[in-house]
Amino acid sequence: MTGSVAIAISAFRSDIAVISLLEVIFSDPHPEVRSVIVVDSLGSGVIAEIAAARHWKLQYENMDTNIGSAGNLARRMELAAETGAKWCLCLNHDANWEAGRLSAMLSAGRSLPRVGAVYPVLDHSPREPRWEDGRRHFRPSAGTRVSNIPSNELTAEVLWSSSNSALYSLAPLAENITVMSELWMGYEDLAYGFALYQGNWIQLSCRSARLSKVFDYIPRRFLGRTLHIHDKPDWYSYYNIRNLILIWRQYGSKCVSLRTILWKLVQTIIRILLLEDTKMNRLKMLYLGTLAGIFNKNGKGRYP
């Protein structure tokens, strides 16, 4: 197949969502897409069966272990590179597809030499400010949030953003710049963004590419106000601080400092105590994950 882009989708117990996403992709094809890949963990095989029945040209790989979001991202990019594509559009199962968004991101990626990643502007509604225009610092909470998307420049140089709907150049893989698959779940995009930065690759926020309705928030009342927090399972707390410590071990304080990790830990404890449910279990997961990071225990832990 011709084309410069491989679309690579992650899956884990998400057959219905992935099949719905594939239906849209194949019904509204983009001329530069040469292959569509799905990497599943412990999958049922239904995705491959549906693809075969509908004659979709899909490469489906089903892992016999749960490789997590970090391992999945690393594997998707490896498979994309094997197709001969120059770019990999990474989609999570809960992403959405717009052919025009890919065109805008490709244009941005070709506007400068050594562009390693192009990210869409992210929609965080119902939270305000609504739009995230990329991240300018290697800190977990360093998003540039705006109510209105700036219109004076089509792109802005950033240091990282979410891998969901990111368009990654596959050229850095030839320079041994890869995803930290040992993180298993969480902040693999932060670590990879720093690896690109360290390798002198440019990363761009493409303001004409917008990713809407992909974040799950739940409302919480606090001091008479309604706050919206990420809807994450309690076991996710295990990987929160642990992975930041592992990234610090790998890349040092230029990526994420111990002071930043400590501040993130304090913020997380406060949020759990004030806003989260299952408080004791989340605090337990946070404590165990912090110990795992200190003792350099990577990969999938005992949880979930």
Side-chain angles (χ1 to χ4, degrees):
M1 295 176 67
T2 60
S4 61
V5 180
I7 298 175
I9 304 167
S10 66
F12 175 68
R13 296 179 180 173
S14 50
D15 291 350
I16 294 174
V18 171
I19 291 167
S20 296
L21 179 58
L22 289 169
E23 286 176 339
V24 180
I25 291 171
F26 283 106
S27 64
D28 183 22
H30 191 284
E32 294 217 49
V33 172
R34 68 184 297 143
S35 61
V36 181
I37 300 164
V38 172
V39 175
D40 205 348
S41 287
L42 303 171
S44 66
V46 169
I47 294 172
E49 292 172 6
I50 294 294
R54 299 187 184 182
H55 305 288
W56 291 338
K57 293 182 179 179
L58 177 72
Q59 180 179 350
Y60 176 80
E61 181 168 281
N62 192 2
M63 311 301 291
D64 58 7
T65 59
N66 185 354
I67 59 175
S69 61
N72 196 297
L73 179 60
R75 183 58 181 155
R76 280 182 285 155
M77 292 182 68
E78 289 173 359
L79 292 175
E82 291 173 3
T83 70
K86 294 181 179 179
W87 300 92
C88 179
L89 179 66
C90 294
L91 303 177
N92 292 355
H93 72 277
D94 57 356
N96 49 65
W97 165 253
E98 293 178 13
R101 183 169 61 217
L102 175 57
S103 294
M105 295 170 72
L106 281 170
S107 179
R110 292 164 175 163
S111 65
L112 294 169
R114 288 187 70 81
V115 174
V118 181
Y119 306 105
V121 178
L122 303 177
D123 182 3
H124 284 274
S125 59
R127 291 177 66 180
E128 289 290 347
R130 175 179 178 178
W131 298 101
E132 180 183 315
D133 188 27
R135 302 193 170 216
R136 272 68 169 178
H137 306 279
F138 291 112
R139 296 198 300 269
S141 303
T144 300
R145 298 282 293 279
V146 290
S147 297
N148 297 305
I149 299 172
S151 58
N152 56 328
E153 294 181 0
L154 294 178
T155 61
E157 189 167 344
V158 297
L159 293 180
W160 71 290
S161 189
S162 171
S163 62
N164 191 6
S165 295
L167 181 67
Y168 289 118
S169 169
L170 293 169
L173 272 67
E175 300 178 9
N176 294 318
I177 296 174
T178 57
V179 176
M180 278 185 70
S181 58
E182 61 267 33
L183 295 177
W184 195 75
M185 179 71 68
Y187 291 130
E188 62 271 11
D189 38 25
L190 167 65
Y192 188 64
F194 184 77
L196 289 173
Y197 168 80
Q198 198 174 47
N200 296 314
W201 288 88
I202 296 170
Q203 300 172 74
L204 298 173
S205 172
C206 178
R207 289 168 172 167
S208 56
R210 304 175 188 183
L211 183 63
S212 302
K213 300 178 181 178
V214 292
F215 296 100
D216 292 325
Y217 289 104
I218 50 176
R220 289 285 188 264
R221 295 290 294 176
F222 180 69
L223 298 178
R225 298 177 58 195
T226 299
L227 305 176
H228 291 88
I229 61 173
H230 286 284
D231 187 12
K232 298 289 187 182
D234 52 14
W235 58 260
Y236 198 84
S237 298
Y238 176 88
Y239 300 94
N240 195 326
I241 302 300
R242 187 204 74 162
N243 283 1
L244 292 178
I245 297 173
L246 293 179
I247 293 170
W248 170 78
R249 285 179 174 275
Q250 175 74 17
Y251 293 113
S253 295
K254 287 185 178 180
C255 179
V256 57
S257 67
L258 289 176
R259 180 178 179 181
T260 297
I261 294 171
L262 180 59
W263 176 232
K264 180 67 175 179
L265 177 60
V266 171
Q267 285 181 317
T268 303
I269 292 171
I270 293 173
R271 188 185 70 248
I272 289 173
L273 292 175
L274 296 182
L275 301 174
E276 300 277 14
D277 57 7
T278 60
K279 299 181 190 302
M280 293 307 298
N281 205 41
R282 290 181 189 274
L283 290 172
K284 175 186 174 183
M285 295 295 102
L286 187 64
Y287 169 73
L288 293 175
T290 302
L291 287 181
I294 291 171
F295 290 104
N296 200 25
K297 295 181 179 179
N298 57 32
K300 184 182 181 301
R302 289 188 295 165
Y303 311 96

